[in-house]
Amino acid sequence: MAATRFQPPPAPADARTLRERLRGARAVFRQVPGTLRLVREADPRGALAVAALTLGLALLPAAIAWVGKLIVDGVVLAARSGADADRVRVVRLVAAELGLMALQLAGGRLLALRRELLRGALGNRVNERILEKALELELRHFEDAEVYDKMQNARREASARPLSLVMQVFGVAQNLVTLAALSGLLLRLSPASVLVVVVASVPAFLAEARLSGESFRLWTWRAPEGRRLNYLEWILTRDSHVKEVKLFHLGPLVLDRYRALFRKFFAEDRRLALRRLRAGVAFGAVSLAAFYAMYALMAGRAARAEISLGDLTLYIAVFRQGQGAVQAILQGVGTMYEDALFMSNLFDYLAIETGGEAPRVRPARAPPRGHPGEIELRGVSFRYPGRDEWALRGLELAVAPGEKLGLVGENGAGKSTLVKLLMRLYDPTEGEIRWGGVDLRDMDPRELRGRIGAVFQDFVRYQFTAAENIGVGEPAHVDDRSRIAAAARRGGADALVASLPQGYDTVLGGWFEAGHELSAGQWQKLAVSRAFMREEAELLVFDEPTAAIDAEGEHELFQRFQALAADRTAIVISHRFSTVRVADRIAVLHAGALEEVGSHRDLVARGGRYARLFALQAAGYAD
């Protein structure tokens, strides 16, 4: 098999002007206010505590440096004078410095504690916002790879980037205050030193900002292949794949692809890390040379007795700390830039428009409840977003209240697409669907879906208890054990639940400790029971409801189905003609068009597509 060829990420445009770069930086830093709002939502008191501690700690370095200068000058004076008062003053200054250092230590520890607490609160708030937005997204968003990449990019850094950005904002503010205080001391000794401190650190900042931008572009471009890497890992670690992995000996193939992707990612990360190392060493040398040049200048002044030994000590401490503060500010701004780039992913995701399901009219319309309404398809055509071909074309169909309609057709004929339209997971591209005379687009989607009970072909296997697996069919009654038991009886899952180790309280699936795995047919019985939790449902939709059930289970299910759905409209999608033949009418879809409609007997007599498919299936049983 030919090796997969990977294309490198697009190189940054070097032709960008300084004005364009500054405009881009301003756009990125607009993420800061939004991030600070998230902090205020997550933990307002914690944010205020962090701000206060940051300001207090920002002033301490200058105070400690000044007391240190006084100590050195005091020691020199006491050594010369030999007076007890001078020695006592030195001891008091040492005690004062000890107090300031203790305050700095305690403040730093307390700030670390508040930061850790804020990390948990903010990470949880950001994840909540991501999940809340996911609930607002429509089906079209989940089936759009670009939107899915936005979600994954937002989720990947959700736990770290928001707090990092906030801490960098506070850190930059802290270092600015510290630098202002230190600059006041430096100006007293050497005004030129302030300029040297700033200028010597600027090249390192520019290099770091550029590398941060490249790091972000690398991570963003990598999102689709990152999902592929996760998928390859998932294939080798999930129980649902292990049989085919073992049978077809897929392990080496999948693992080789995993390794190839990892090596590619590692090579990209290594190149970026080496560039950061080279830039760090080069510009670190510039800063070091600037420090020792100024150190030599001030040492010469001290040797000529132009400044005191305490002034020299103060200068060394303040210059080094000032240089560190400037570098910390510039590095913090560079890191803020990178964090803000990642936060732009989050805010882009949160800004996805989701008003497509809103009713066209206010207040929303709704047909009367209590009995099924007629469902009418009037010239319904549909094609998926970004597709040119039609999934459905020109459907004209009326389903009478309480009618049982079967839907048949080959894979891709449009059966499941029609169900999506009925549930208003999509709107028709052309035409309209009416329920009790009301266009679905004029109804509240929650109101509409509350009238429908469904079993999907790709039903969910919730890693919950057996009771919850059934109860989630009507979340308002998820703890109503009597209603759950009644739904289990209707869906044929009561005997299954009775056989479980803890009955309804048995945790199902293999994800969690003590989980009890079920067969496909047993899972499907729970899914069918879930549909019957909606006792007020006017429409029941069964999409291949017997695909994983044996023949005896299928017969029992449809006996119950006919009795329980007697006063409800029902749509049954199936490839088994033994399933759909019990329907009042059968609609045959082919290539998105409605080809035939009638009862089983009428369609067989007509000798069309349905009759041919039925004969083929019957011949298989006869043989």
Side-chain angles (χ1 to χ4, degrees):
M1 185 173 184
T4 305
R5 296 187 63 185
F6 300 108
Q7 298 297 325
D14 293 327
R16 293 178 64 194
T17 65
L18 178 61
R19 180 176 296 178
E20 290 172 335
R21 290 180 183 276
L22 291 175
R23 190 183 304 122
R26 284 197 299 271
V28 168
F29 283 115
R30 291 195 188 106
Q31 314 304 325
V32 174
T35 306
L36 292 175
R37 282 194 295 272
L38 286 175
V39 174
R40 190 172 64 247
E41 293 174 12
D43 186 3
R45 291 184 179 179
L48 286 174
V50 169
L53 287 167
T54 299
L55 178 60
L57 290 171
L59 297 171
L60 286 175
I64 292 170
W66 180 254
V67 172
K69 171 239 188 300
L70 296 178
I71 290 173
V72 173
D73 285 343
V75 168
V76 173
L77 178 61
R80 288 175 179 172
S81 69
D84 291 339
D86 292 334
R87 288 195 292 269
V88 171
R89 182 172 179 271
V90 169
V91 172
R92 287 175 178 171
L93 288 171
V94 171
E97 183 172 314
L98 173 62
L100 290 173
M101 292 296 294
L103 191 60
Q104 187 178 51
L105 176 63
R109 294 288 185 180
L110 188 56
L111 180 60
L113 172 63
R114 294 306 317 185
R115 185 185 294 126
E116 193 62 30
L117 295 176
L118 187 59
R119 180 194 305 278
L122 182 57
N124 179 66
R125 181 58 189 144
V126 171
N127 280 317
E128 281 184 355
R129 289 288 298 274
I130 291 173
L131 296 176
E132 288 167 357
K133 186 64 180 183
L135 293 177
E136 297 174 7
L137 296 179
E138 301 151 29
L139 181 60
R140 63 186 174 90
H141 293 122
F142 287 96
E143 294 180 347
D144 185 329
E146 183 179 347
V147 173
Y148 194 79
D149 282 345
K150 283 185 178 181
M151 181 190 296
Q152 297 309 308
N153 283 332
R155 288 180 58 200
R156 186 180 61 233
E157 301 290 333
S159 61
R161 292 291 177 176
L163 182 67
S164 176
L165 179 56
V166 171
M167 288 300 102
Q168 292 301 331
V169 170
F170 285 134
V172 168
Q174 177 180 349
N175 283 295
L176 282 171
V177 173
T178 299
L179 182 61
L182 294 174
S183 296
L185 299 178
L186 275 179
L187 287 170
R188 174 179 168 272
L189 298 172
S190 175
S193 298
V194 178
L195 183 62
V196 172
V197 165
V198 175
V199 171
S201 301
V202 168
F205 161 69
L206 295 176
E208 182 62 29
R210 180 183 179 87
L211 291 171
S212 295
E214 292 185 21
S215 174
F216 169 76
R217 284 189 290 273
L218 181 64
W219 276 94
T220 302
W221 173 84
R222 191 183 280 179
E225 288 195 334
R227 285 193 285 114
R228 186 175 293 114
L229 190 74
N230 291 335
Y231 175 66
L232 294 172
E233 181 180 344
W234 190 65
I235 288 176
L236 297 181
T237 56
R238 294 305 304 156
D239 56 349
S240 56
H241 290 69
V242 67
K243 293 189 294 293
E244 291 203 7
V245 169
K246 295 290 187 184
L247 176 64
F248 300 129
H249 196 52
L250 288 176
L253 172 65
V254 175
L255 191 56
D256 284 347
R257 293 185 177 183
Y258 180 91
R259 285 170 175 156
L261 272 174
F262 176 79
R263 284 194 295 267
K264 173 179 177 291
F265 290 169
F266 181 78
E268 292 166 351
D269 292 340
R270 184 175 180 274
R271 282 194 296 270
L272 190 61
L274 289 174
R275 291 181 62 189
R276 273 202 162 104
L277 173 65
R278 288 192 291 267
V281 170
F283 295 119
V286 171
S287 297
L288 194 63
F291 169 73
Y292 276 98
M294 297 305 297
Y295 187 4
L297 178 64
M298 297 306 293
R301 291 185 62 189
R304 293 190 299 271
E306 295 176 7
I307 59 174
S308 70
L309 184 59
D311 287 333
L312 178 61
T313 305
L314 173 65
Y315 182 84
I316 295 170
V318 169
F319 189 92
R320 189 183 291 276
Q321 289 184 35
Q323 198 173 39
V326 171
Q327 290 176 356
I329 290 168
L330 297 179
Q331 288 174 1
V333 171
T335 305
M336 281 173 59
Y337 180 72
E338 183 174 342
D339 290 337
L341 285 168
F342 278 98
M343 288 302 295
S344 68
N345 281 329
L346 173 64
F347 291 120
D348 285 347
Y349 165 71
L350 295 177
I352 293 172
E353 295 185 7
T354 55
E357 292 185 344
R360 297 185 304 182
V361 297
R362 294 290 184 183
R365 301 180 60 196
R369 274 192 173 274
H371 58 82
E374 182 182 34
I375 299 174
E376 301 173 85
L377 281 70
R378 300 180 178 180
V380 171
S381 297
F382 176 75
R383 56 186 168 199
Y384 286 96
R387 302 277 187 86
D388 294 328
E389 66 275 12
W390 292 95
L392 295 173
R393 192 64 173 151
L395 298 191
E396 297 279 351
L397 182 66
V399 183
E403 183 179 8
K404 312 301 179 286
L405 177 73
L407 275 180
V408 299
E410 70 275 16
N411 291 331
K415 305 183 296 297
S416 295
T417 299
L418 178 55
V419 170
K420 292 177 184 178
L421 297 184
L422 288 173
M423 296 181 180
R424 213 179 159 221
L425 298 173
Y426 283 106
D427 287 331
T429 307
E430 296 176 1
E432 62 181 14
I433 302 175
R434 290 183 170 268
W435 184 308
V438 178
D439 193 310
L440 297 190
R441 291 169 291 190
D442 296 332
M443 296 179 66
D444 185 314
R446 293 186 63 180
E447 152 74 17
L448 168 65
R449 293 164 192 163
R451 299 169 180 255
I452 302 172
V455 182
F456 298 106
Q457 184 176 358
D458 53 347
F459 57 86
V460 179
R461 305 180 183 194
Y462 295 99
Q463 308 291 299
F464 299 160
T465 65
E468 290 168 333
N469 260 279
I470 299 172
V472 294
E474 188 62 88
H477 298 279
V478 71
D479 296 320
D480 188 341
R481 191 57 63 89
S482 61
R483 184 163 178 159
I484 290 171
R489 286 193 299 273
R490 296 188 187 104
D494 50 343
L496 162 64
V497 174
S499 69
L500 296 175
Q502 283 82 42
Y504 283 101
D505 296 317
T506 304
V507 176
L508 303 180
W511 284 30
F512 305 112
E513 187 178 355
H516 188 89
E517 191 56 85
L518 302 179
S519 68
Q522 290 172 322
W523 278 112
Q524 192 161 40
K525 286 183 178 180
L526 292 176
V528 172
S529 300
R530 190 153 61 233
F532 286 115
M533 276 294 292
R534 294 200 164 176
E535 296 177 351
E536 298 82 14
E538 300 170 13
L539 170 65
L540 295 177
V541 177
F542 291 91
D543 187 354
E544 295 288 354
T546 61
I549 297 178
D550 56 33
E552 184 177 355
E554 177 186 9
H555 177 70
E556 293 175 359
L557 173 63
F558 275 95
Q559 280 187 326
R560 286 190 298 273
F561 168 74
Q562 288 178 306
L564 294 169
D567 58 345
R568 309 181 194 186
T569 305
I571 296 177
V572 181
I573 302 173
S574 182
H575 290 287
R576 292 187 185 180
F577 288 90
S578 58
T579 298
V580 297
R581 67 182 298 173
V582 301
D584 300 322
R585 285 192 304 160
I586 299 168
V588 182
L589 288 174
H590 176 66
L594 187 60
E595 191 167 293
E596 297 178 298
V597 181
S599 68
H600 169 75
R601 181 172 297 179
D602 292 341
L603 293 176
V604 169
R606 198 175 299 172
R609 180 176 297 276
Y610 178 86
R612 291 196 301 275
L613 294 173
F614 178 75
L616 285 172
Q617 196 167 109
Y621 282 110
D623 291 342

